[in-house]
Amino acid sequence: MTLSAIAEPTGAAGLATGGTPAGRRKRTLRVVQRRAGLGLSSVAIILFIAFWVAPLIATLMLSFTDYGLSRETSWVGFANYERMFGNDEFWNSLGVTVVFTFFAVGPTLALALLLALPLVKPGRVVTAIRAAIFIPAVMPLVAASLLWQVIYQTGGVADQVVGLVGLGPQPWLKDPQLAVVSLLIMVIWKYVGLYVIIFIAGLQAIPGNLYEAAAIDGARPLRTFFLITVPQLRRTFLFVIIVGVTGAVQAFVPAYLLTKGGPVDATQVLPLLLFNNAFLFSRFGYASAIAIVLLALLLVFAFLQFKLVDEPED
Amino acid sequence: MFSRRLAATAGVATVAMVLAACSSGSTDAGDELPELQEPSGSLVIWEHANEANQAYFEEKYAEYEAETGVDIEVLYIPIADLQTKLQTAFGAGNPPDIIKIGAWQMTSLVERGYMSELDPVNYGAGDLAGFEALFEDGALDPVTFDDAVYGVPTDFNSVSLWYRKDRFEEAGLDPNSPPTTWEEVAEVSEILTSADGSKVGLQTTLNGDPIWAQLVFQPLIEGLGGSILSEDGTAGGLNTPEGIAALEYYANIGNPDLTAPIGGFSMFADGTAAMLLGGRFMTGFMPSLNPELVYGENFATTTIPSWEGEDAVASGYSWAWGVTEDSENKATAWNLIGWLNEQDRANDQLAATGLVTPLAGWTDLEAAQDEASAVMQEQLPYTSYGVQTPFWNEIMTALAQTLDAVALGQSTPEEAAAEFDARVADITG
């Protein structure tokens, strides 16, 4: 029971206004409630303003300057944005980011759902398989990236695997097209376990009587999957897509550690372009403009996802 | 989470902007000599991690601590992260006292007032003339900006051609007659390359790395009379007959598909590559990657090749010790740097690590009595250090991408050259 529920007068007394002792008590309680609420949330509000709102405003302001650490800073209006939108490197990075996001999230979710279906039911073997699939997800991303760097080196594990089907060594990180695929394989391997666990939780929450009713009606497994499982997982889908897309758009470490954005900018995702401009080239103003565009991109993605996946009535 | 990271960056940047505004104005350190001070207090040093060298420096720092009572804290940073970490530290107003960085990256730090001018008194040289007299002619060029010295050169290199004598022998080539021209290098490379391309002749040193892009490409283009940048560093020089010819040659060096943890260095160490462009440090570095490698026995070096009928041009670079402007213990910092680079220790350093401190007459040091040092000394008169520019990182990153593009066949030399020059104009404009 909440504090307001305790304080709320019932019946005719509830209609009492400020003039009565009950009304005064009610007003006092409300004031106390408001103050308590403000007091309890003030730390979070201060932290939110200090570490989110203020830096966001600062970033927005910096995006209109030529700030480069200690150089004299001046307002440049929309020059950073003009430079960005007129720059092939930016459009290349945007394209790489979109492709990377699409092919990182889509296959990961599909694979995760396929793996989750047989792992829903409890059992020792199933638990062991779930744990094994989850291991890459708990591995630090930096460690995972370094591991894959070794896997992809000439004569490494990746070459040995393709050698089993008669293929020779491949330029995993040196060919512009293959480098993107190599990054995607690593990212899918890293995150599929996390989504498997989320899908298992979603599948376990589906009421069993729906499946029983479908079985009585003679529905076949595929029909049951598409007409019961998938719709019932709508909320889970929304969650994993938002988390997946947000993570993929921000993905920085794999490209930074495995390819440095190369070869020839083939894997230069937007966060890496931003990082290079800020911390290698000291173009903080320009990097801030990229950050603002990245933020806008994420907001658009999030909005579209809610529109596509969310239902009007839950 | 990323937005928060950005926000935090912006926050740091905002603070840095305020600090910068508060500390504007240049120092006039050169006008008046500082007083000699007893070393005291504590020092924080940042240098790049290199297993081959760390043991040596740890030992020397311990010696200095024992001699002076100064407390030293060292942070070894992976080379790829050094610049980033420094940028954030300077931005936040919390840099270390001493840094060891590539002199090619010093220009932008000096331009922003982050580095302190040399203190020759506490270095132990008396005055600037005394300090300059300690070094080889031209050795201070990479650390001199607007006629003021900001660092002390160390790990000083003139890039030469390194070759695996065992690979030459296996291929039926004379291991004591390495190629002397770029044309010969191409011919020999063909002989040393296996049919499947898994073994190569000359391999690029470190793909995608800005400094090695400059060091490898500079001898090719400057040897033809061209240059990567104009003298004032504002225009690209690739879209010229010399630049395009050099790119055409570069496109055929080694096998761009090969991957190894540290690129050509790893490939030279394991014998995949029979030739590599590298510095004097290779004598210490290669055995650290492959203990079976013994300088003189199975690998050696020779002077940088020239184009037929042209004079040779070698690439030079130096790392440098520097003291940050924000250091509160500058006198002790310069004292330690001077102590580290005294002649006896320069000799110890060269013997233990292969890193040269270019003191005057360094080739007379006991540790320098080898062919590698002689080759480097021979090359110094025709060694080019490139153009100093505050946009070095950005321009050389563009060069590395340009070289990758031609090597991988993504662009023709003509297209890549035009694009590079346009990017330089955009960067410097």
Side-chain angles (χ1 to χ4, degrees), chain A residues 225-271:
Chain A
F225 175 76
F226 282 110
L227 292 181
I228 294 177
T229 307
V230 171
Q232 289 293 317
L233 281 177
R234 186 179 280 264
R235 285 282 172 192
T236 309
F237 271 120
L238 179 64
F239 175 74
V240 293
I241 289 174
I242 287 177
V243 170
V245 169
T246 309
V249 171
Q250 298 172 40
F252 162 77
V253 174
Y256 178 70
L257 288 179
L258 283 180
T259 60
K260 294 273 180 209
V264 202
D265 288 349
T267 58
Q268 181 156 271
V269 287
L270 271 182

Side-chain angles (χ1 to χ4, degrees), chain B residues 31 52 68 80 152 169-170 173 184 192 196 220 248 277-278 280 294 324 337:
Chain B
D31 297 340
T68 62
V152 176
E169 274 174 346
E170 281 167 22
L173 296 164
E184 283 176 14
L192 290 160
D196 63 359
L220 296 175
E248 278 167 358
L277 298 186
R280 174 65 183 78
V294 179
T324 60
I337 294 172

Side-chain angles (χ1 to χ4, degrees), chain B residues 254-392:
Chain B
N255 180 352
D257 288 345
L258 297 178
T259 315
I262 37 177
F265 291 120
S266 301
M267 293 178 218
F268 188 80
D270 68 17
T272 301
M275 291 182 284
L276 193 73
L277 298 186
R280 174 65 183 78
F281 64 87
M282 292 276 282
T283 58
F285 187 44
M286 281 301 119
S288 78
L289 296 180
N290 178 0
E292 287 178 9
L293 288 182
V294 179
Y295 177 71
E297 281 184 24
N298 43 21
F299 78 109
T301 189
T302 185
T303 51
I304 197 83
S306 63
W307 293 100
E308 265 170 28
E310 304 283 348
D311 291 333
V313 176
S315 289
Y317 73 96
S318 180
W319 284 73
W321 294 104
V323 177
T324 60
E325 186 60 31
D326 285 348
S327 169
E328 291 175 356
N329 201 1
K330 289 194 188 78
T332 301
W334 284 116
N335 180 274
L336 169 59
I337 294 172
W339 183 90
L340 278 173
N341 291 293
E342 283 174 8
Q343 197 168 51
D344 286 353
R345 290 187 194 89
N347 183 64
D348 293 348
Q349 178 181 296
L350 182 57
T353 65
L355 305 184
V356 171
T357 297
L359 297 172
W362 69 273
T363 45
D364 295 334
L365 295 175
E366 191 187 334
Q369 302 311 307
D370 60 9
E371 194 193 9
S373 299
V375 166
M376 180 170 150
Q377 186 68 2
E378 188 184 336
Q379 285 192 172
L380 286 180
Y382 54 86
T383 294
S384 163
Y385 302 96
V387 175
Q388 288 181 336
T389 164
F391 300 107
W392 188 92

Side-chain angles (χ1 to χ4, degrees), chain A residues 21-300:
Chain A
R24 280 198 296 276
R25 272 202 304 276
K26 186 180 165 188
R27 275 208 311 279
T28 309
L29 266 171
R30 277 186 183 157
V31 170
V32 170
Q33 274 180 297
R34 280 192 200 118
R35 284 180 183 167
L38 204 62
L40 290 170
S41 57
S42 60
V43 175
I45 291 170
I46 290 168
L47 291 175
F48 181 72
I49 290 172
F51 292 105
W52 207 92
V53 177
L56 181 64
I57 293 169
T59 304
L60 186 63
M61 287 168 64
L62 284 179
S63 74
F64 295 105
T65 70
D66 62 355
Y67 180 56
L69 286 180
S70 69
R71 278 186 221 154
E72 280 184 22
T73 302
S74 51
W75 293 99
V76 295
F78 286 93
N80 287 326
Y81 291 92
E82 283 169 19
R83 179 169 189 243
M84 182 169 56
F85 293 128
N87 191 329
D88 291 343
E89 200 179 22
F90 167 76
W91 290 110
N92 170 67
S93 285
L94 185 62
V96 171
T97 304
V98 171
V99 168
F100 180 81
T101 301
F102 184 80
F103 286 103
V105 176
T108 307
L109 297 194
L111 188 61
L113 184 56
L114 280 177
L115 289 170
L117 287 171
L119 296 176
V120 175
K121 290 178 183 170
R124 282 185 186 171
V125 176
V126 165
T127 305
I129 295 172
R130 278 186 207 165
I133 290 175
F134 196 61
I135 287 172
V138 294
M139 190 183 280
L141 190 51
V142 172
S145 300
L146 294 175
L147 175 70
W148 280 85
Q149 202 171 39
V150 176
I151 289 172
Y152 284 138
Q153 75 180 50
T154 305
V157 175
D159 277 346
Q160 288 170 24
V161 170
V162 298
L164 296 175
V165 291
L167 292 174
Q170 301 294 312
W172 298 103
L173 301 174
K174 290 299 185 73
D175 177 81
Q177 281 78 40
L178 196 53
V180 179
V181 175
S182 303
L183 279 191
L184 286 169
I185 291 171
M186 181 251 160
V187 169
I188 291 169
W189 168 85
K190 174 82 178 73
Y191 290 107
V192 75
L194 176 67
Y195 297 127
V196 166
I197 299 298
I198 295 171
F199 275 125
I200 287 173
L203 288 166
Q204 286 173 338
I206 299 174
N209 57 4
L210 292 177
Y211 290 107
E212 287 163 15
I216 290 166
D217 288 345
R220 294 186 178 193
L222 206 59
R223 196 170 168 79
T224 306
F225 175 76
F226 282 110
L227 292 181
I228 294 177
T229 307
V230 171
Q232 289 293 317
L233 281 177
R234 186 179 280 264
R235 285 282 172 192
T236 309
F237 271 120
L238 179 64
F239 175 74
V240 293
I241 289 174
I242 287 177
V243 170
V245 169
T246 309
V249 171
Q250 298 172 40
F252 162 77
V253 174
Y256 178 70
L257 288 179
L258 283 180
T259 60
K260 294 273 180 209
V264 202
D265 288 349
T267 58
Q268 181 156 271
V269 287
L270 271 182
L272 190 55
L273 181 70
L274 184 161
F275 175 87
N276 286 342
N277 275 283
F279 293 104
L280 282 182
F281 311 150
S282 295
R283 292 184 184 273
F284 281 86
Y286 184 61
S288 299
I290 297 172
I292 295 297
V293 169
L294 193 62
L295 178 66
L297 193 68
L298 276 170
L299 290 174
V300 170

